[in-house]
Amino acid sequence: MDGFDLRIIDAGGERLPCVVRGPGSARARLLIVPPLFEEMNRTRRLLARLGNALAEAGIATVLPDLPGTGDHEGGTEAMDWARWRAAVAALAAALGAAATLAVRGGALLDDAAGARPRYRLAPVRGAALLRDLLRARAASDAEAGAGISVARLEARLAAGEAIEAAGHVLSPALAAALRAASPAPGRSGDRTAMLDDLPGGDIVLGGPAVWRSAEPAPAEELALARALAADIAQWLASR
Amino acid sequence: MAALADPDRTGRAEAIARAALAAALALPAERAAALAPDTPLFGAMPEMDSMSVASVLAEIEERAGIVIDDDAPLGEAFASFGALTRFIAARLPA
């Protein structure tokens, strides 16, 4: 089942472009809270394969473009932490989502969906994402011979200047929110999947860290999508 | 520097280096397994550029639970797999 719908869903005053997969009659609707920045681009194919595998298991998924990202019509100024959290909250409510599935930086936003059960894949702290963005920018500057260090970029943010990094404009406010953000603590019944045996995981899935690499091995990525889908389906059924 | 000779610490650092390179560069399992202390990295591995160095650092940080500071000697660290292992071992929490 490889079909999907592209829909604009109105929620909380936002018009959110969403990829909707799975049967319309699905008993469980899962709101995917996507990874942030460049990690989302690299994870897009995994999420498509995961959505297809979940659809085969009778589970519908909704994958939104957060304000200011993807096909959302807002520009850079729509990339705003409070707007992202409000969009997750409003979309979860509008869909009547049974649970959230947060991937990487999505775990910094999934608690906005309230009491809904949370499944997380490789959650990450905001400070680590910010460091990655600034390092990527510093690396591209170094390749261009400019030699700008992460510390210099941090200083420019602190002085109120927006920074362009890995194709995204990072405002000082967004950088500050990111730096302070940690995944909300898991509650009883929530589940976290990790690729490796790292602290905080309920299950170790193995497989490629697709959010790191521009070209993950396709066969391993498909295997990861299937393993994830099986674990998510079992988790949902046990609730 | 006694800590650097600790075989357990070196073993952990090597495992982290291998896993981080494999994940960040999407290395096939057999290439990740073949990494030896004298395997050259930056300038020798086709996947390795300054962007992927940033990804490898992020993977190391996530796996080791450490933060690598801005002025760490990266040229030295990425000279070889053995150098990267020593770089990590020196920064691992006890």
Side-chain angles (χ1 to χ4, degrees), chain A residues 18-223:
Chain A
C18 294
V19 179
V20 181
R21 289 188 162 87
S25 59
R27 49 197 160 74
R29 259 198 241 183
L30 204 52
L31 171 60
I32 300 179
V33 189
L36 306 178
F37 308 107
E38 182 59 15
E39 290 199 351
M40 176 55 202
N41 295 329
R42 293 173 171 172
T43 310
R44 202 172 287 279
R45 191 175 60 182
L46 174 73
L47 293 182
R49 292 174 152 184
L50 175 60
N52 291 337
L54 286 169
E56 281 173 19
I59 297 163
T61 55
V62 176
L63 169 62
D65 284 336
L66 294 173
T69 75
D71 293 329
H72 184 271
E73 57 203 14
T76 301
E77 68 285 352
M79 292 179 65
D80 175 272
W81 198 253
R83 253 179 102 169
W84 283 355
R85 291 186 59 86
V88 169
L91 191 55
L95 296 168
T100 53
L101 163 57
V103 180
R104 298 286 293 166
L108 304 169
L109 306 169
D110 62 356
D111 59 305
R116 290 179 172 77
R118 299 171 196 146
Y119 190 103
R120 288 165 164 173
L121 172 61
V124 62
R125 294 168 62 91
L129 287 179
L130 178 63
R131 204 158 52 237
D132 291 356
L133 278 171
L134 296 182
R135 245 189 215 139
R137 166 65 196 266
S140 72
D141 288 346
E143 282 196 343
I148 291 181
S149 72
V150 171
R152 294 255 306 274
L153 294 171
E154 289 272 14
R156 283 166 60 185
L157 283 168
E161 193 182 327
I163 298 281
E164 200 189 325
H168 302 274
V169 177
L170 197 60
S171 71
L174 187 58
L178 202 54
R179 189 182 287 114
S182 288
R187 304 149 307 176
S188 163
D190 290 348
R191 189 164 173 85
T192 297
M194 303 292 268
L195 297 185
D196 290 283
D197 194 6
L198 293 174
D202 298 305
I203 182 174
V204 176
L205 290 174
V210 300
W211 42 86
R212 287 278 181 238
S213 169
E215 298 160 35
E220 292 173 24
E221 188 186 62
L222 186 57

Side-chain angles (χ1 to χ4, degrees), chain B residues 11-57:
Chain B
R12 277 193 297 147
E14 191 178 292
I16 289 167
R18 196 182 301 279
L21 287 166
L25 307 179
L27 296 183
E30 62 277 11
R31 278 186 63 203
L35 289 166
D38 61 353
T39 307
L41 298 179
F42 198 87
M45 282 182 113
E47 295 87 353
M48 200 87 171
D49 55 21
S50 53
M51 282 309 218
S52 54
V53 164
S55 293
V56 175
L57 290 177

